[in-house]
Amino acid sequence: MTLTFDEICIDAHDATALGDWWSRVLGWPRDIDDDGDVVLHAPPGAGPNWLFLAVPDDKVVKNRIHFDFRPDDQRAEVERVIGLGARRIDIGQGEPSWVVLADPEGNEFCILAAED
């Protein structure tokens, strides 16, 4: 038996708004599938598609899994993503080389330092 990593499923209070936001952040095209879920289509080699599922409840605790992104220019990307509506958050990380942010629904993600 073989498994293929096909999708990352993300619960969202407003799946359309959050899917649209991440589509702008990542630059990935999005559409609505037959079930009404928002699908972000990953470019070839960029990993699995992201599927945003509408749920009635809000996020209330720290994520048990999160995304790390490595940019060419950390400062520029942090400023760009904050400009789109992300916010800096403190989860007790101290002064690391990465920046911890939250998307509009409070899901944590990190923008790492650029590779040397």
Side-chain angles (χ1 to χ4, degrees):
M1 181 180 344
T2 302
L3 294 175
T4 302
F5 192 11
D6 189 66
E7 296 175 330
I8 295 173
C9 298
I10 302 164
D11 290 348
H13 186 72
D14 185 339
T16 301
L18 193 59
D20 287 348
W21 188 82
W22 276 105
S23 176
R24 288 190 309 278
V25 168
L26 297 171
W28 294 2
R30 73 126 189 112
D31 63 31
I32 308 294
D33 69 11
D34 293 339
D35 295 324
D37 302 320
V38 178
V39 182
L40 297 190
H41 298 280
N49 292 338
W50 290 20
L51 182 66
F52 292 84
L53 309 165
V55 297
D57 49 323
D58 292 324
K59 179 184 176 293
V60 293
V61 298
K62 181 179 171 287
N63 293 0
R64 299 286 303 255
I65 187 170
H66 69 268
F67 302 115
D68 286 347
F69 299 99
R70 184 162 318 268
D72 293 330
D73 181 334
Q74 183 187 46
R75 180 177 296 188
E77 276 305 299
V78 168
E79 289 176 12
R80 182 183 75 83
V81 175
I82 288 174
L84 291 171
R87 65 185 188 285
R88 288 180 182 262
I89 60 169
D90 183 352
I91 56 170
Q93 68 266 22
E95 296 294 325
S97 61
W98 60 88
V99 177
V100 182
L101 301 171
D103 71 16
E105 289 203 10
N107 299 300
E108 301 91 3
F109 64 98
C110 297
I111 297 183
L112 307 174
E115 288 187 324
D116 293 330

